[in-house]
Amino acid sequence: MRTTNYNPSPLEVNFAKAFKDLTPQLESRIEGGKVVNIESIHDADNPMVIFKLEDQEGDLHEVVVQIIQRPDAIVN
């Protein structure tokens, strides 16, 4: 299937949603940390899932996962 719209593409949006849905599995692998908030931005050119994390000392951190699909002509 050729992608005709990359801003964002349906594949990028669906991948970002799936990544957010994996939060419980991701959180179980964060040693000494927990997810305290998640923000999803699906309508941006490159969708993002922003995780707010808290470490063992109670410090807050932010991790941004940005989904970027390369044009079909580049992928081999």
Side-chain angles (χ1 to χ4, degrees), residues 4-63:
T4 57
N5 182 12
Y6 286 96
N7 297 324
S9 76
L11 185 59
E12 288 175 318
V13 171
N14 290 333
F15 193 90
K17 289 177 180 178
F19 202 89
K20 180 183 178 188
D21 291 344
L22 291 172
T23 298
Q25 290 89 340
L26 295 170
E27 187 172 40
S28 71
R29 295 174 176 250
I30 302 171
E31 189 173 319
K34 66 179 182 176
V35 177
V36 294
N37 190 34
I38 305 167
E39 179 183 356
S40 295
I41 302 172
H42 295 140
D43 58 351
D45 182 15
N46 301 115
M48 292 181 274
V49 183
I50 303 167
F51 294 89
K52 308 277 186 185
L53 308 173
E54 185 177 326
D55 64 21
Q56 289 177 317
E57 291 92 30
D59 295 326
L60 297 176
H61 305 274
E62 187 173 271
V63 175

